[in-house]
Amino acid sequence: MPIIVQLLIGLGLSALIAVPAYFRKSLTLDGMVCAMVIGSALFGMGGWPFFVILIAFFLSSSLLSKVLPSPAMPSPGIVVKGNCRDSTQVIANGGVAFGFALAYFIHPSDLAFVGFATAFAAANADTWASEIGPRSRESPVFLIKRTPVTKGLSGGVSGLGFAASAAGALFIAIIALAGWYAGHGFTWTSLIYGLTIVAGGFLGSVID
């Protein structure tokens, strides 16, 4: 299929997701436009396996932010990230994945696909941890020094947050491998790819 046709298909599919998300206030106007451009590019460069991962990340993270009750009000000085994503947040979540998709388009390889999926696994792990972690009954501690910190402060972790982060990475790995199996079939190498995506996504979230 010519690349221009794939780009147009990707643009149309992205619009079906991004436009309703804008009216539901999950995306700002510039976030909607940015999401459509990135979605179009990802479909054009990688096709369905890449695009489905993007959609899985966006829908799952948006659903969590909508259905979970708001946590207790944070302490003064803690900046709360809103549920309505702007272009900066869209690029932050999809920029690294875009780079791997471009590498795949230039020279298709399993490694580029795994890198792409891992990038979104890290973004999803971070989002799930941010949405679910603050609901923990235990007080968070600073990751390095293990000293108590205020909920919502960067660097604070909890058991629930870690579990949510791992689950978010696993979710993307399952979606990624489901699409990969459809075109390549199951192999033990594919299982290694899946474990790599989970581990890379979880570690990426922890480092972030």
Side-chain angles (χ1 to χ4, degrees):
M1 186 183 300
I3 181 64
I4 185 64
V5 175
Q6 286 197 200
L7 289 172
L8 291 174
I9 293 175
L11 183 62
L13 292 171
S14 298
L16 291 177
I17 302 296
V19 174
Y22 167 71
F23 285 105
R24 290 196 304 269
K25 300 188 184 303
S26 294
L27 288 170
T28 62
L29 180 59
D30 63 317
M32 178 192 73
V33 173
C34 188
M36 290 171 59
V37 171
I38 290 180
S40 175
L42 294 184
F43 188 88
M45 292 187 292
W48 282 109
F50 285 67
F51 190 77
V52 168
I53 293 173
L54 167 65
I55 297 304
F57 160 69
F58 178 75
L59 291 183
S60 70
S61 59
S62 297
L63 184 62
L64 276 180
S65 65
K66 293 295 184 183
V67 302
L68 288 179
S70 299
M73 289 299 292
S75 301
I78 302 298
V79 178
V80 179
K81 182 172 63 177
N83 295 331
C84 192
R85 293 176 172 84
D86 58 21
S87 58
T88 300
Q89 291 170 301
V90 172
I91 294 173
N93 287 322
V96 175
F98 178 88
F100 279 110
L102 181 59
Y104 183 88
F105 177 71
I106 295 173
H107 182 71
S109 68
D110 292 358
L111 199 58
F113 175 78
V114 171
F116 174 87
T118 301
F120 269 120
N124 204 54
D126 181 65
T127 300
W128 284 31
S130 298
E131 293 292 341
I132 298 175
R135 277 79 182 175
S136 175
R137 293 182 179 180
E138 63 176 303
S139 298
V141 296
F142 186 57
L143 179 61
I144 300 175
K145 297 181 178 180
R146 306 299 297 172
T147 55
V149 297
T150 304
K151 282 189 176 182
L153 188 65
S154 181
V157 299
S158 66
L160 180 61
F162 272 139
S165 181
L170 177 62
F171 174 73
I172 293 297
I174 292 173
I175 297 297
L177 292 185
W180 201 242
Y181 291 156
H184 298 78
F186 175 81
T187 64
W188 287 111
T189 301
S190 301
L191 180 59
I192 294 175
Y193 290 163
L195 294 175
T196 300
I197 294 169
V198 175
F202 176 75
L203 289 176
S205 172
V206 171
I207 292 171
D208 180 62

